[in-house]
Amino acid sequence: MSLQGQNIVIVGGSSGIGFETARLALQQGANVTIAGRSEEKLEKAKFHLIGNVWTVVADVTDETSVNQIFERLDQIDHVFIPAGGLSMGKILDTDPDEFRQGLEERIFGALYVVRAAVPKMPKHGSITLISGVRADRPIPGTTMTTVGVAAAEALTRSLALELAPIRVNAVAPGWTDTPLVSNVLGDNYDAVIRSVSEKIPVKRIGKSEEVAEAVIMLMNNGFINGEVLHIDGGERHVSAA
Ligand SMILES: NC(=O)c1ccc[n+]([C@@H]2O[C@H](COP(=O)([O-])OP(=O)(O)OC[C@H]3O[C@@H](n4cnc5c(N)ncnc54)[C@H](OP(=O)(O)O)[C@@H]3O)[C@@H](O)[C@H]2O)c1
């Protein structure tokens, strides 16, 4: 199995899990387009990637901007959509408008990408969405993240039928060492990671490339469809007892 010569688009490919997926796809000989909001981050990512890489500045919450990602390409074989941040804050303490961005990214963003990409996808094409362990293991203060990633899982199952024979899957990472996590935790990074690692059955958090390997597998395996693949070291099964 190989992605040799295939066109892959990663919306949210300039950092973390998306960047590692770009790196692995390039190793398999794919042509990779990475998109994100920051031109600086995209250029930095391109500098560190080896192979056929294109960058497009785009915000997944803006349909016109999403359409521009796909304009240059006649055929798109596989799409991965890791774009998104964390929606933090307790419902009673947070202005509801602050939660809009997360839902725009995870629900409408995914729909904009699907609408732009699918008309150019061959029968063997695939789309991979991003979920997360919070879909099954909510923690107080991240309710709207839970809602967003659970919606991604619902979209996965529904789109797998609606877009057939194009396959639609999702990866659901647990704690993964990426710039998103280090930015959110700041100075508390070491203490928090030590504490959560104790609770995860494998006793550590994940690496971006471990999630990226799963995404590449989902692109390559033509019979996995409508699936949510958990890459969380077993955190989903940890009981409070
Ligand atoms: N790391 C974890 O522990 C973890 C666990 C579960 C799920 N996830 C999910 O996995 C995904 C990737 O996370 P990560 O940890 O790899 O984060 P990351 O390092 O911050 O990477 C996020 C990527 O998405 C892009 N992006 C963010 N918002 C965007 C938007 N509105 N439009 C277009 N691009 C956007 C970012 O570039 P710009 O900022 O320049 O736009 C960047 O390229 C996220 O959806 C995250 O919620 C992460």
Side-chain angles (χ1 to χ4, degrees):
M1 290 190 294
S2 163
L3 298 173
Q4 180 69 41
Q6 303 209 10
N7 289 331
I8 306 227
V9 176
I10 303 173
V11 184
S14 63
S15 172
I17 293 164
F19 173 81
E20 282 302 321
T21 305
R23 198 175 58 76
L24 296 185
L26 287 162
Q27 280 178 5
Q28 291 198 5
N31 306 310
V32 177
T33 301
I34 55 172
R37 292 163 301 178
S38 156
E39 186 168 11
E40 192 186 338
K41 276 162 77 172
L42 287 165
E43 285 311 310
K44 193 172 161 200
K46 187 174 179 180
F47 178 80
H48 287 101
L49 291 168
I50 300 163
N52 294 331
V53 186
W54 287 262
T55 62
V56 184
V57 176
D59 184 335
V60 78
T61 65
D62 174 353
E63 187 164 23
T64 306
S65 162
V66 168
N67 289 341
Q68 284 164 1
I69 304 173
F70 297 92
E71 260 169 13
R72 186 187 58 83
L73 296 161
D74 294 329
Q75 175 170 313
I76 296 127
D77 298 286
H78 303 283
V79 177
F80 177 39
I81 320 171
L86 283 175
S87 298
M88 307 278 280
K90 293 193 175 174
I91 299 295
L92 296 184
D93 306 335
T94 310
D95 182 337
D97 274 341
E98 286 187 32
F99 294 129
R100 262 181 229 290
Q101 171 77 6
L103 298 185
E104 293 277 344
E105 287 168 348
R106 293 185 194 283
I107 302 174
F108 288 93
L111 297 185
Y112 298 151
V113 172
V114 163
R115 284 163 57 81
V118 168
K120 295 183 174 184
M121 293 182 88
K123 285 182 181 166
H124 69 256
S126 81
I127 296 168
T128 305
L129 304 180
I130 196 98
S131 177
V133 69
R134 296 298 148 239
D136 294 304
R137 284 266 157 223
I139 49 176
T142 62
T143 294
M144 295 312 281
T145 294
T146 291
V147 170
V149 290
E153 296 190 6
L155 269 176
T156 298
R157 289 183 280 270
S158 195
L159 291 175
L161 301 186
E162 191 167 319
L163 304 180
I166 289 161
R167 294 175 300 109
V168 184
N169 294 296
V171 284
W175 282 90
T176 310
D177 192 12
T178 69
L180 177 70
V181 170
S182 44
N183 289 339
V184 168
L185 297 182
D187 292 344
N188 298 322
Y189 181 88
D190 288 342
V192 173
I193 296 303
R194 221 180 359 259
S195 163
V196 299
S197 295
E198 270 310 301
K199 294 174 193 140
I200 298 170
V202 299
K203 301 295 174 202
R204 65 173 176 84
I205 67 166
K207 301 173 192 159
S208 305
E209 57 264 38
E210 290 171 321
V211 182
E213 281 166 7
V215 177
I216 297 290
M217 189 275 287
L218 291 174
M219 290 177 182
N220 271 318
N221 188 316
F223 208 54
I224 303 181
N225 192 19
E227 192 60 81
V228 178
L229 185 52
H230 302 92
I231 307 119
D232 62 8
E235 183 185 350
R236 196 165 57 104
H237 306 296
V238 172
S239 92

